[in-house]
Amino acid sequence: MRISVIGCGYLGAVHAAAMADLGHEVIAVDVDAAKVDALAQGKPPFFEPGLPEILSSSLASGRLRFTTDISEVAGASLHFIAVGTPQSENSGAADLRFVHAVIDALIPHLGSADVIVGKSTVPVGTAEALSHRLLAAGSSATLAWNPEFLREGFAIKDTLSPDRLVFGFGEGPGALQARSALRDVYSQAIASGTPVVETDLATAELVKTAANAFLATKISFINAMSEIAEVTGANVTELADAIGYDARIGRKFLNAGVGFGGGCLPKDIRAFSARAQELGLGSSVAFLDEVDAINLRQRERVIARVIADAGGDAAGLRVAVLGLAFKPHSDDVRDSPALDVAQGLLAAGADVVAYDPQAHGPALLRLPKLNLADTLEQVLVGADIAVLVTEWPEFVALDPRVAGDLMAHKRIVDARNVLDADTWRAAGFHYSSLGRP
Ligand code: UDX
């Protein structure tokens, strides 16, 4: 199929490369010329395992092209919208500027039988408003919604073999044609048994919002338990294991620690709360404000713990911060708990040095004064205390005897609950974590 993908960020660049990998002819558009140039050379402007490989092979096949010129979408009949919907500057609501701008830019180039497919995460009601915008401009193209559930770090796999496909359609005459176009474009995943949920536009939009709200709630639930565990002497990891054996609960997303970050969960729960308030339904999701508050509190808890474990005085304390990305296998520092911990310790007067295998560039853009080390060993040299805030495999595998030889004092705060407490204590460390004795 000939398709266009508009917006070449994490979502769009991966989607465009994956669709070309499946055999479709893809024109990918972005307003950022530097990003388009980099992608056209097979170099993604962010770290995503496997992306450079499928980008290069798709470019070499001739099935994938990048451009800044929106008029080039005219040869395609199916257009995916993959632009960002960031948090507004002055509120928790989603900023839909880019989505509206894309629809306006597309309209002059659309054929009457074209299908537009929204993938961006939007507040419920947006698709209907966009359909009206198309009609008002005299376009007879059809709008459908197909939310994306990819996780950074696993984006290629999640796009090529998703857990489920969700298609939302309006009531207009183009719905049948949109359905057949979406079934064609995802024919391989569907043939291999991926469940498909076909629904209306509002449900499709809400599925994404609800899924992320649920995941965020799960994490904040276990972090709230970790606060209780800490005071009562209970062990939150064993608690998570025990409740996780109940198939109705499940063990995934019950890892207590410094909490969730990234470009999705934090902004999506705030946007959901803002949208619910607009609808007069603020109380229905008021719990999400608490989910957000619990999550942000974890960052403060970790900062306070580092200072307390090192004797109570942050001034001049040499702290090794292990990790800056919001999670491993990513260089994304948007709303990163790790970066906030580094920043909080700096603000408290500590002498902070950080190391992350991938996120130094993006971290420096947000925190230019941050001192960085080139390797894990270097960041530990002379440290009074280390704090593990992103569970990269090389941190999880760190040998406490090696760390102890490099550091000035043997102290570590495990803010992701991933190290073996007994091993670290046996090596002479003062080891502490969140919600475990
Ligand atoms: C998330 C959703 O998983 C994905 O479906 C959606 O499309 C986009 O948002 P992502 O932001 O890539 O994906 O990260 P995810 O793997 O969900 O992790 C989110 C955050 O939660 C990370 O900061 C992670 O460290 C944290 N987390 C996750 C926990 O603190 N504890 C857990 O048990 C799981």
Side-chain angles (χ1 to χ4, degrees), residues 148-152 208 212 215 219 253-255 259-261 264-265 326-327 391 416:
E148 179 56 60
F149 304 99
L150 65 80
R151 297 158 299 166
E152 289 179 25
K208 174 62 189 273
N212 276 356
L215 293 172
I219 299 169
F253 272 67
L254 283 182
N255 295 321
F260 60 81
C264 290
L265 300 191
F326 83 104
K327 68 173 191 181
E391 68 278 32
R416 290 287 182 181

Side-chain angles (χ1 to χ4, degrees), residues 90-384:
N90 306 320
S91 76
D95 179 351
L96 296 176
R97 229 176 329 159
F98 305 117
V99 175
H100 288 141
V102 164
I103 292 289
D104 291 345
L106 264 179
I107 285 171
H109 310 290
L110 291 173
S112 58
D114 281 10
V115 177
I116 303 173
V117 182
K119 289 201 81 65
S120 307
T121 302
V122 292
V124 58
T126 304
E128 199 188 339
L130 294 176
S131 298
H132 291 151
R133 208 175 173 108
L134 281 169
L135 271 178
S139 170
S140 56
T142 302
L143 185 75
W145 218 263
N146 164 224
E148 179 56 60
F149 304 99
L150 65 80
R151 297 158 299 166
E152 289 179 25
F154 304 92
I156 309 292
K157 179 189 160 289
D158 286 353
T159 305
L160 292 174
S161 357
D163 291 341
R164 77 294 211 188
L165 287 161
V166 176
F167 302 155
F169 305 112
E171 284 172 0
L176 274 179
Q177 183 194 343
R179 177 177 189 265
S180 110
L182 279 170
R183 287 203 159 253
D184 281 350
V185 87
Y186 292 117
S187 59
Q188 293 186 29
I190 295 172
S192 61
T194 304
V196 181
V197 178
E198 292 183 350
T199 183
D200 53 84
L201 291 172
T203 306
E205 293 168 314
L206 260 180
V207 167
K208 174 62 189 273
T209 315
N212 276 356
F214 193 85
L215 293 172
T217 304
K218 238 184 145 178
I219 299 169
S220 279
F221 176 85
I222 203 66
N223 280 329
M225 295 306 107
S226 101
E227 292 178 325
I228 308 274
E230 203 149 290
V231 170
T232 55
N235 182 319
V236 74
T237 304
E238 290 166 11
L239 172 82
D241 291 343
I243 64 173
Y245 282 121
D246 184 331
R248 294 169 303 175
I249 296 173
R251 179 63 178 82
K252 289 180 183 163
F253 272 67
L254 283 182
N255 295 321
V258 68
F260 60 81
C264 290
L265 300 191
K267 81 157 172 76
D268 288 352
I269 58 169
R270 290 170 199 150
F272 197 5
S273 180
R275 181 65 183 134
Q277 280 166 36
E278 278 171 20
L279 294 166
L281 294 168
S283 55
S284 301
V285 293
F287 68 93
L288 289 179
D289 296 341
E290 203 53 51
V291 166
D292 198 11
I294 293 168
N295 188 54
L296 294 176
R297 202 154 67 220
Q298 304 314 307
R299 303 173 189 194
E300 299 306 322
R301 256 177 100 193
V302 172
I303 294 166
R305 173 66 64 77
V306 169
I307 296 170
D309 281 6
D313 187 5
L317 185 72
R318 173 80 165 70
V319 184
V321 173
L322 310 188
L324 292 166
F326 83 104
K327 68 173 191 181
H329 312 292
S330 169
D331 65 355
D332 197 344
V333 297
R334 286 177 293 173
D335 218 320
S336 169
L339 195 62
D340 273 5
V341 166
Q343 188 167 20
L345 287 165
L346 270 174
D351 169 13
V352 173
V353 184
Y355 167 71
D356 186 285
Q358 290 296 337
H360 286 182
L364 280 180
L365 289 178
R366 264 205 41 204
L367 211 56
K369 287 194 186 132
L370 185 63
N371 284 323
L372 297 169
D374 290 335
T375 62
L376 173 56
E377 286 69 30
Q378 250 182 45
V379 79
L380 294 168
V381 171
D384 295 311

